[in-house]
Structures are given as structure tokens and as C-alpha cells.
Amino acid sequence: MLLIMMSAAAMMAMAAAPDKDLCAVASQVTQGRACVQSKDGIAISDDANRARQLLGYADAGATRFRTRFNREPLPFAVVETNDGKVAGATLAGLKAAGFGAVLPWLSAAGFQTQIEASVRRAVEAQTAGLSSEAREAVVQQALAQVASKPVPAGRDAGAVPHELGHIWYAEAYWPGQVREGGHYGAPGPDWMDETAAVLMETAEFAADRTKQFGELYNKLRKDRALDKAPDNELVDLPRFFASSHPGVARGKAMVNEIKKGLGDTPQDGIVIRASTGPEAEKFAAVAAQYYLQATLVAEYLIARTGDSAVFARIGAAFGRGETMGQWLANLEPKGQLPRSIAALQADWLRWLDQRFPLEGSKPAA
């Protein structure tokens, strides 16, 4: 899993639109590394081909942001490094040059190094009672297991725009406001923060999450675990709309632990860290259902409103301080979407039954 950490000063930095020759401006702070650009931003790496790959992922996310939110995404700078750090001076230079969304990214080698370090920390903590020789043997066994599981090929294609989506969404509706803890700290509801990021991902990511949700939903139905719906958290929309992101508390604890090993990272810099092991697995398990819910709620809202950019109006409402219930009740057209949370919940359950018909049942027309 990946965690991004930045200081309040870094999150507050704002700038004007970038010059046309984006890489020429960025070269003043990126020390001659490979840089490629598009109309929406730049990607920087030690390798030009890799920079072009990262740029493509970010550009695809920018296109999706326009489609879903009817707004221009902040100009971005994706900066790949082996240590996952963008130092304070570099960050300030990029912000001053007009790149409002700066995203550090780990190279493949850096990702592997950090995963190995994470595994070592976890194993050593669990085997403190063993001799150094015995402990190292367990560490090497664990590292061999990690090495046998390569990073999924499509990870960056979904993860790069996902992380940019958090920044674009927050700055679209609460420009310049400090977000405590980074992600999930925008003034609006957490579910929409996560939904905005999920909407930036590839179609493959969305299809996989939809498949997982359907499998889980039908298993719960077969086990009669939804007989008292919406008591079950998976399908409880009022709870989802009011919830804090379930991974926040665990994520903050992991961030504090990881910060101990950050070394000389400037206070106003930004850093991305990869982590695995028991704590990371617990974080992922807690957060996984939330991502599934965000994916299906987004699909439901589009289906019922007939508007692929309905999130622009929801985001604007949240930016004005409205709740989801207040947005549903206001005078904006909403297609077939019910006008209250209670009615929405009942309609959502009907829609889910149609979306995921049980084996042997007849799909709805």
C-alpha cells in the first residue's frame, strides 16, 4: 500500500497557471532529470520512457476529472524518485511555477526497497525474542515471499490518477484550505473524497471493484445476512454518507511510525511511502470495503440521474456546506434519484438487486 504525507505549508501553497513550456520552468528545480509535458502538467523521472508513462496515467485522470466534475484540474507535476521524497525547496519551486498538484511517486526500485524495509521492520518486531541469526533467517524467508509477488502491472495506471484525484477534488471546492492529515481531511464528507479519487481510476480498476462488490453482495444475500438491510454496513447508505474513512485512524498511526524513518526530509516537503506487513494488511482490509462502496455508489448516482457529471453538483453543494440530504432535497434536477436519504436507501437496495441478479434469477429489463 502507499501513503502520502505532506506538511500544512505544502498543502496550502497555491500558484498561478503554469507557463506553456512547462518542463523548461520545472528544470529549474528538478536538476536536469527527464521531463515530459502535456497541456495539463508534467512527469519527471530518471528515464524519459517512464516519465511518458506516468504522464499518460496522469493525463487520463485529468480527462476523467473534467468529465466527472466539469472543472479544470490543477496543473500537475508527478515526480518519480527512488526515495519517494520531494524536498521542500523543490516542492516550493514547482508550486511557484504553477503546479498546484505535486505528486511524489516511487520508482520500481524504490518501491521494492521500501517494501523490503517494511517487511524487515514487521518481522523484527514480531521476533524480538529470537537470536539475531534466527531472526535474520525469518526475515530472509519473508523477503523471499515478497520477491515472488511482483507489483501488479496496472497498479500505477490506477493509483497515479487516484492520488491526484484527491488533490483536484479538494482544491476544486475548498481551494487553499489546510487538510489535516492529507487525504480524507477536506471539509466535505469522506465518502465523496474517496469517490472522487476512485472515479479517476482506470476502467479495469472499476470493473474489478464492481466484480468484488457483486460477489460479496450475493454471498451476503445467499447467507441471508441482508434480511435486515440496511443493518449490514455494505449496503447502509446513511451510514456510508455519514462515516469517517475507516482507514484514517490506522493510516495516521502508520504515518507516525513511518515518519520515524524519514531522515532529513524537510518539514515542508512531501513524501510517499510503501508499506506491507500486518499493519498495512489491516489498513487495506479495513479500507477495501469503503472503496467498493464508493465505486458502486458512483455507478448508482450516474444511473439514476443520467448525469455522468452529477458529482460536480454534489461537490458544489458540499462546498457550500450542504449535507447529502440537503442536496437531495434542493431544486436541482436529479432524474430518477429519490429526494430523501430514506427513499434513496430503499431505491439503492432495489437497484442493487437488479445490478447483481442471483444465479437463476431473471435480470431486470
Side-chain angles (χ1 to χ4, degrees), residues 38 61 78 126 144 164 207 240 263:
S38 69
V78 180
Q126 293 172 349
L164 286 170
F240 181 61

Side-chain angles (χ1 to χ4, degrees), residues 1 122 250 253-254 275-284:
M1 64 167 295
R250 195 176 299 279
M254 290 179 64
S275 185
T276 188
E279 282 305 307
E281 289 168 3
K282 288 178 184 176
F283 180 97

Side-chain angles (χ1 to χ4, degrees), residues 128-139:
L130 299 180
S131 66
S132 58
E133 293 82 3
R135 185 183 307 124
E136 183 60 25
V138 178
V139 167

Side-chain angles (χ1 to χ4, degrees), residues 82 108-118:
N82 288 329
F111 185 88
Q112 188 63 29
T113 296
Q114 290 196 10
I115 288 295
E116 290 177 359
S118 178

Side-chain angles (χ1 to χ4, degrees), residues 6-7 9-11 13 29 86-96 99 102 268-270:
M6 63 181 82
S7 70
M11 290 187 282
V29 292
V86 175
T90 300
L91 177 62
L94 290 169
K95 291 281 188 177
F99 299 100
V102 179
D268 57 351
I270 181 172

Side-chain angles (χ1 to χ4, degrees), residues 174-299:
W174 299 275
Q177 294 192 32
V178 175
R179 302 186 296 282
E180 284 297 326
H183 293 348
Y184 324 123
D190 282 2
W191 74 267
M192 189 60 199
D193 199 316
E194 192 58 60
T195 298
V198 165
L199 286 166
M200 299 305 102
E201 297 173 351
T202 62
E204 290 76 13
F205 267 58
D208 183 61
R209 289 215 174 102
T210 299
K211 180 174 180 290
Q212 290 182 54
F213 187 104
E215 290 172 349
L216 177 57
Y217 180 69
N218 278 336
K219 182 179 186 304
L220 292 172
R221 290 166 76 189
K222 289 177 181 178
D223 294 344
R224 306 192 69 82
L226 296 181
D227 285 358
K228 295 182 179 180
D231 293 347
N232 189 281
E233 187 173 351
L234 180 71
V235 298
D236 189 341
L237 277 189
R239 182 187 299 185
F240 181 61
F241 290 149
S243 67
S244 296
H245 192 291
V248 169
R250 195 176 299 279
K252 286 182 177 179
M254 290 179 64
V255 167
N256 291 333
E257 187 64 29
I258 291 171
K259 277 182 177 179
K260 297 176 183 178
L262 291 183
D264 59 356
T265 300
Q267 186 176 3
D268 57 351
I270 181 172
V271 63
I272 187 169
R273 280 290 180 268
S275 185
T276 188
E279 282 305 307
E281 289 168 3
K282 288 178 184 176
F283 180 97
V286 168
Q289 181 169 294
Y290 208 69
Y291 298 140
L292 301 186
Q293 289 172 303
T295 300
L296 265 296
V297 167
E299 184 180 335

